[in-house]
Amino acid sequence: MANQPLAYFDDLRERNVLEIKKLKDQGKKVVGTYCAFTPKELIIAAGAIPVSLCGTRQEPIPEAEKILPRNLCPLIKSSFGFAITGSCPYFYFADLLIAETTCDGKIKMYELLREYKPMHILNLPPTSLGEDAFAYWYNEILKAKERLEREFAVEITTAKLQEAIRLVNEERRALLEFHRLNRHDPAPLSGLDLLKVLWAKGFTPDIAAGTAVIRQVTLAVKEQMARGVSAAPPGSPRILLTGCPVGLGSEKVIKLVEAGGGVVVCLESCSGIKALEPLVDEEGDPLQAIAAKYLQVPCPCLTPNRGRLELLERLIKEYRVDGVIDLTWQACHTYNIESYSIKKLVQEKAGLPFLPIETDYSTSDLQQLKVRIDAFLEMIK
């Protein structure tokens, strides 16, 4: 597609560094997060700015490997590398880190990160099912609220929480509307277009202003659709990408799919649509509503993880998918083991081609991946 509507997002992460520095100089606090389980609403209600610190680039990994094992998930190594090299301005500006017990690698990495920044750990229950799991998680949300209040000498009131919920829900609604443009065939957006806009939500200090831009961009894309503009020709294989989160810098699989003549019409991972649904209930007790929403993130770290299968089954139909690629980062055992269940769903229930990929952030396997992805797309065609 003609990419003018999305030009705003091209260097947004870099531009927002300057905005956050300005806000820090005015006394604003910054909270770094590492996962979709951390409630942005709590941070906003505390008067702070939430920023994502998940590393999605290869560059800092060699320094991280001087401390961490080489055969570890690249997301963990990249995140740690950015922290210890001082090359991430968002980490530099962070006054507090909130981290989650999603996997063993992250948990142990957080122990090392404590040497660099104050940290609060959100301990996830092993399952999202049942009253005991919810009561445990609600208590973790309450402890995070109390830590934010102590750390920043503020009171997080019910009114502040309700306002933060409305604000973040509006952002989710805007992002969902943007992502759902690709239900149309031919798809108006490439996978890189989707990623560029969805990834920006982790680095936007003014959420209301960012939401307004997303709505403007969505309107502009709709106008292009009315003129027949699309991201790929009609008949291009429509691919759903599931699995580990992808960010700018680790998008090589998306690029290879689209260079090979396919189009990634849906990003299911927690850097995509997974974390946007459902909205937080805007009625009743806000802390209860926040806890309920975030415990529904269908992550493989929770067992059983039926929510991911249900979400994938629905997305395959809604986005008229021709094939599914399941991306697992090296050494991410939870996603790798769950790939078996995803394969059964895709091949046996949906009757679609399925391609599992295990890789890292490096370019060493680009040619091998290109051969596999090209063959996958050719099979669909």
Side-chain angles (χ1 to χ4, degrees):
M1 65 173 285
N3 241 345
Q4 294 91 336
L6 279 80
Y8 172 86
F9 295 93
D10 285 345
D11 58 351
L12 184 65
R13 187 176 183 275
E14 290 72 21
R15 295 202 316 271
N16 279 344
V17 168
L18 301 176
E19 182 63 24
I20 288 179
K21 182 184 185 304
K22 184 168 70 176
L23 292 168
K24 281 278 291 184
D25 290 342
Q26 296 169 8
K28 197 84 168 176
K29 301 297 184 181
V30 175
V31 177
T33 68
Y34 286 93
C35 185
F37 282 105
T38 294
K40 288 173 68 170
E41 294 85 351
L42 282 183
I43 298 168
I44 293 164
I49 302 168
V51 295
S52 174
L53 298 179
C54 275
T56 60
R57 296 186 179 276
Q58 173 69 21
E59 292 82 2
I61 287 180
E63 283 301 310
E65 287 179 339
K66 293 178 181 178
I67 300 172
L68 300 176
R70 294 190 67 189
N71 62 338
L72 186 64
C73 161
L75 187 150
I76 297 172
K77 292 188 292 186
S78 180
S79 301
F80 188 71
F82 271 123
I84 65 172
T85 59
S87 54
C88 174
Y90 290 93
F91 185 88
Y92 173 79
F93 288 134
D95 299 286
L96 175 70
L97 309 179
I98 298 184
E100 312 81 354
T101 55
T102 48
C103 74
D104 292 341
K106 274 189 171 181
I107 291 168
K108 301 308 289 185
M109 186 267 282
Y110 295 149
E111 290 183 9
L112 303 178
L113 271 188
R114 287 180 185 275
E115 299 176 15
Y116 297 85
K117 294 281 183 179
M119 178 176 288
H120 180 82
I121 298 291
L122 274 169
N123 290 287
L124 282 158
T127 181
S128 61
L129 304 179
E131 293 180 4
D132 289 347
F134 179 78
Y136 178 92
W137 179 239
Y138 175 80
N139 190 50
E140 287 296 303
I141 297 295
L142 183 60
K143 287 191 287 187
K145 168 185 173 288
E146 292 169 349
R147 175 65 186 272
L148 285 163
E149 289 177 322
R150 290 196 309 272
E151 196 77 27
F152 302 145
V154 297
E155 182 185 1
I156 299 177
T157 64
T158 296
K160 289 177 181 177
L161 282 171
Q162 289 170 334
E163 177 55 32
I165 287 170
R166 286 191 290 269
L167 184 71
V168 181
N169 272 350
E170 278 305 301
E171 180 187 50
R172 291 190 184 103
R173 289 187 184 100
L175 288 168
L176 282 168
E177 184 184 10
F178 176 78
H179 196 294
R180 287 168 179 165
L181 293 172
N182 262 11
R183 291 175 173 177
H184 188 268
D185 190 2
L189 300 165
S190 69
L192 289 176
D193 293 334
L194 288 174
L195 183 64
K196 186 185 296 184
V197 175
L198 291 167
W199 195 241
K201 72 180 183 297
F203 312 101
T204 303
D206 187 335
I207 292 179
T211 299
V213 171
I214 294 164
R215 294 203 183 281
Q216 292 168 9
V217 168
T218 301
L219 185 60
V221 174
K222 286 180 177 179
E223 291 171 355
Q224 288 191 340
M225 291 168 65
R227 300 197 305 271
V229 178
S230 62
S236 301
R238 298 170 61 85
I239 305 302
L240 182 151
L241 182 65
T242 183
C244 292
V246 176
L248 296 179
S250 60
E251 72 275 30
K252 64 182 182 182
V253 170
I254 298 176
K255 285 183 174 179
L256 287 170
V257 168
E258 298 187 336
V263 57
V264 177
V265 296
C266 182
L267 300 175
E268 180 271 343
S269 73
C270 49
S271 56
I273 207 166
K274 178 187 289 184
L276 302 178
E277 302 178 322
L279 302 178
V280 178
D281 185 0
E282 296 182 17
E283 305 296 329
D285 179 82
L287 270 187
Q288 293 267 349
I290 288 169
K293 183 269 184 295
Y294 283 88
L295 195 56
Q296 292 180 68
V297 175
C299 177
C301 70
L302 300 173
T303 182
N305 187 25
R306 292 193 290 265
R308 184 181 175 202
L309 298 174
E310 293 166 1
L311 176 62
L312 279 171
E313 188 173 5
R314 174 167 62 82
L315 294 175
I316 284 168
K317 295 173 183 175
E318 289 179 358
Y319 287 81
R320 312 182 203 183
V321 169
D322 298 313
V324 174
I325 294 178
D326 186 17
L327 171 64
T328 300
W329 295 130
Q330 169 193 296
C332 184
H333 304 310
T334 45
Y335 270 98
N336 220 346
I337 293 171
E338 197 164 276
S339 188
Y340 173 78
S341 301
I342 304 304
K343 178 181 179 180
K344 285 184 67 176
L345 168 74
V346 173
Q347 291 185 334
E348 297 176 15
K349 197 163 187 179
L352 293 176
F354 174 79
L355 178 65
I357 289 176
E358 183 179 4
T359 184
D360 59 16
Y361 288 178
S362 74
T363 58
S364 61
D365 61 349
L366 275 180
Q367 191 56 41
Q368 179 194 46
L369 288 176
K370 180 181 185 305
V371 170
R372 292 184 64 204
I373 289 170
D374 285 350
F376 181 69
L377 295 172
E378 192 59 36
M379 177 177 63
I380 292 172
K381 293 174 186 176

